[in-house]
Amino acid sequence: MPFLSGLMSRIDMKTYKLHCEILSPVHIGSGRVIEPLDYIIENSRLYKISFEKLVISMDEVERNKFEELIDNGNLVDIRNYIAGNTKDKGYIYSLEVSHKIEDVYKSKMNDIQNQLLISPFIRTAGEALPFIPGSSFKGSLRTAIINSFAKDSKPPKPKGPREEYLFESNVMAYNDGKDDPFRGIRIRDAFLSVNDTIIKDVINVSRKQGSGCR
């Protein structure tokens, strides 16, 4: 009765409700970027636009003007047209942006060399809400526990995928991947509220003194 035994083991799993507080900025990207043709920034908020709604809402004069801009291929003119004709015609979501991001947006709108790309937080289907995937939280938890155990056992640092697997199995004392204790852990996605995320600039800093990049 393998199916029955498997079903019973799932029923017997313990469920814990955790209330967690995020102590540092967290970014989990969606794997995509958005550009000025997809959003506008106004009054310290980013509005992710619906290009479909924008086009549908246009009257004949507006649509002819828009098509003319597209035919001319001037990206700056298209950017400015969308920025001035979008917000009141429907958007998918809006969220807060820092003053620095807003200043960069306004100062670089007419700079064709600046793509003004933004990496958004991962959101649910339809982009309704941001959320933290349970798999991401589980991976962070796993890494934290392995690092904590490694401080005591101090095994050699891994230099590749194969060594990394051996490193983890040695630290958590299992020989077969089937015995990995994290296989029995399931963490649900955590859904955030509309105003739980903010767009800010990110600075990557090297450990080498005095070096860094934006």
Side-chain angles (χ1 to χ4, degrees):
M1 302 285 288
F3 174 78
L4 180 59
S5 62
L7 181 62
M8 291 301 294
S9 65
R10 292 180 185 179
I11 293 175
D12 292 338
M13 287 183 68
K14 294 182 179 180
T15 300
Y16 297 90
K17 292 185 177 181
L18 303 178
H19 297 273
C20 302
E21 180 180 358
I22 297 176
L23 301 179
S24 64
V26 173
H27 175 71
I28 302 175
S30 64
R32 300 188 298 268
V33 295
I34 55 177
E35 55 184 67
L37 299 182
D38 301 317
Y39 71 89
I40 64 170
I41 293 178
E42 182 178 297
N43 297 325
S44 299
R45 291 196 73 82
L46 177 145
Y47 295 87
K48 175 66 165 59
I49 67 174
S50 167
F51 200 81
E52 181 180 0
K53 288 182 180 179
L54 172 63
V55 174
I56 291 175
S57 68
M58 291 178 178
D59 58 30
E60 185 177 356
V61 175
E62 291 172 328
R63 187 173 293 110
N64 289 336
K65 174 63 176 177
F66 190 54
E67 290 176 354
E68 180 183 345
L69 292 174
I70 293 176
D71 289 339
N72 291 337
N74 189 315
L75 185 57
V76 171
D77 287 344
I78 296 174
R79 281 182 180 180
N80 286 307
Y81 183 84
I82 289 178
N85 293 273
T86 301
K87 181 184 171 185
D88 296 331
K89 297 182 179 179
Y91 55 89
I92 301 172
Y93 63 82
S94 75
L95 55 112
E96 184 182 356
V97 301
S98 68
H99 293 303
K100 190 169 186 177
I101 290 294
E102 185 172 20
D103 290 342
V104 170
Y105 172 80
K106 291 179 177 179
S107 65
K108 300 296 184 180
M109 270 293 288
N110 294 323
D111 180 3
I112 196 64
Q113 300 300 321
N114 196 313
Q115 299 183 65
L116 294 172
L117 301 179
I118 290 179
S119 175
F121 205 92
I122 188 171
R123 302 179 76 91
T124 56
E127 302 187 283
L129 290 173
F131 73 100
I132 298 178
S135 57
S136 296
F137 189 87
K138 179 178 174 179
S140 298
L141 180 63
R142 177 187 175 88
T143 299
I145 289 177
I146 289 175
N147 287 343
S148 178
F149 287 175
K151 288 181 180 179
D152 298 327
S153 57
K154 297 181 179 179
K157 292 184 178 180
K159 297 180 180 179
R162 173 61 180 172
E163 289 188 15
E164 185 173 346
Y165 171 79
L166 294 175
F167 175 85
E168 294 180 358
S169 61
N170 288 335
V171 168
M172 292 198 289
Y174 65 82
N175 296 319
D176 193 317
K178 296 180 180 179
D179 298 324
D180 183 344
F182 275 85
R183 283 176 59 87
I185 296 177
R186 301 289 184 272
I187 300 179
R188 294 181 178 177
D189 297 340
F191 296 96
L192 308 177
S193 71
V194 174
N195 294 315
D196 279 342
T197 58
I198 181 173
I199 300 291
K200 303 188 76 171
D201 63 322
V202 176
I203 300 175
N204 295 321
V205 179
S206 170
R207 290 189 176 184
K208 295 180 180 179
Q209 186 175 1
S211 64
C213 60
R214 189 178 302 280

